[in-house]
Amino acid sequence: MSGTLYLVPTPIGNLDDISRRMADILGRVDFIAAEDTRVTVKLLNHLGIKKPMAIYHRHSTEASGRAILCRLQDGESCALVTDAGTPAISDPGEELVAQCAARGIPVCAVPGPCALVTALAVSGQPTGRFTFEGFLAMNKKNRRAHLDALRGEERTMIFYEAPHKLAATLQDLAEVFGPDRPLSLCRELTKLHEEIRRTTLGEAVGYYQENSPKGEFVLVVRGAEPQAEQEASLEDGLAQVDKLRGEGLSLRDAVRQAAKELGLSRNQLYDLAVGR
Ligand code: SAM
């Protein structure tokens, strides 16, 4: 029988966010697959756990993934961890989970630290509907296509960004969504210097022209205001009458139906239609 792949989140800045279940699973599995074993060994030392480790990082997902799958199929259990936060979320893991799912290998996700959820919760932006956009591409064309696709997005949008690219990203976001769009800049979450700056895209651009960004950031951008529904005009009504007449309806029936569909006055539409 196959072993289980456990997705074990690790703290995004505060070691006290290690849960008992995380520590228990890390202590119980046969081996740990880590994004960077030097980072993970520090966590294991903190927990007093000694465990064989394998590397699973974004540049070796294919080869190391195959080795991990073989061991899982041989019945070993594995905990996948990344440097910080939840595996498979803008971090290695997505492909490995898909491959386990395709082979019927059990996968168990342990809930825990995740920068996007922490940022959204504290942002003060609407949380009912949101979209996670991860990192914007480095490539200018792909980056522009990504942002263009979000122009009318009404849900709250969440982006990850590295400090050295923050200023350029804020500039691009302000160009696409406008300088007045509300933004919550969530910096160094769960750490000593945690900071939540509730501002606008335009103000944030100005601020980071004066101050160089330090630390890790999640950007939570308010969605677009919902578009007010356009009221139909009498011209729209006439066009609909013509269409219905073409389908064989009498003038009277076509007017009645078009007026109902478009919320127009039946008498006004009728007078206009007969007067043509
Ligand atoms: N899988 C991780 C998670 O679930 O949180 C995210 C990994 S991704 C490679 C790293 C990005 O997450 C950073 O560039 C930053 O945008 C965000 N991030 C991670 N830790 C953070 C923190 N303490 N404060 C703010 N943002 C953080």
Side-chain angles (χ1 to χ4, degrees), residues 29-61:
V29 288
D30 294 307
F31 69 105
I32 295 172
E35 183 180 13
D36 183 337
T37 52
R38 290 164 305 181
V39 174
T40 301
V41 86
K42 286 185 197 151
L43 180 74
L44 296 182
N45 287 342
H46 175 81
L47 295 170
I49 294 171
K50 273 197 170 18
K51 203 50 71 172
M53 279 200 268
I55 291 182
Y56 185 75
H57 61 65
R58 64 190 79 249
H59 304 298
S60 76
T61 50

Side-chain angles (χ1 to χ4, degrees), residues 7-189:
L7 305 176
V8 180
T10 53
I12 58 170
N14 188 330
L15 281 180
D16 284 344
D17 290 336
I18 296 169
S19 73
R20 249 193 283 175
R21 186 165 177 227
M22 284 176 207
D24 177 55
I25 290 172
L26 290 174
R28 262 194 307 117
V29 288
D30 294 307
F31 69 105
I32 295 172
E35 183 180 13
D36 183 337
T37 52
R38 290 164 305 181
V39 174
T40 301
V41 86
K42 286 185 197 151
L43 180 74
L44 296 182
N45 287 342
H46 175 81
L47 295 170
I49 294 171
K50 273 197 170 18
K51 203 50 71 172
M53 279 200 268
I55 291 182
Y56 185 75
H57 61 65
R58 64 190 79 249
H59 304 298
S60 76
T61 50
E62 220 173 285
S64 46
R66 267 198 304 274
I68 294 168
L69 286 171
C70 281
R71 293 178 72 171
L72 285 163
Q73 281 173 318
D74 285 346
E76 288 189 67
S77 57
C78 170
L80 176 67
V81 296
T82 59
D83 292 350
T86 300
I89 306 298
S90 285
D91 256 347
E94 179 183 350
E95 282 170 39
L96 190 58
V97 173
Q99 285 163 347
C100 285
R103 289 165 176 76
I105 298 171
V107 180
C108 172
V110 178
C114 182
L116 86 95
V117 176
T118 311
L120 175 66
V122 77
S123 68
Q125 307 290 353
T127 61
R129 296 185 68 213
F130 63 90
T131 162
F132 174 55
E133 299 298 324
F135 290 96
L136 289 175
M138 301 268 265
N139 169 295
K140 252 193 154 142
K141 201 169 145 227
N142 296 346
R143 192 176 171 86
R144 178 53 64 174
H146 187 164
L147 288 174
D148 280 343
L150 291 172
R151 268 183 198 280
E153 179 56 65
E154 293 178 6
R155 294 171 293 180
T156 298
M157 293 168 278
I158 305 167
F159 300 88
Y160 281 168
E161 197 45 286
H164 63 285
K165 289 194 277 159
L166 183 77
T169 293
L170 288 171
Q171 190 85 50
D172 287 350
L173 293 173
E175 269 170 37
V176 175
F177 303 125
D180 298 331
R181 183 69 71 87
L183 158 79
S184 302
L185 266 169
C186 306
R187 191 176 78 85
E188 295 288 83
L189 290 163

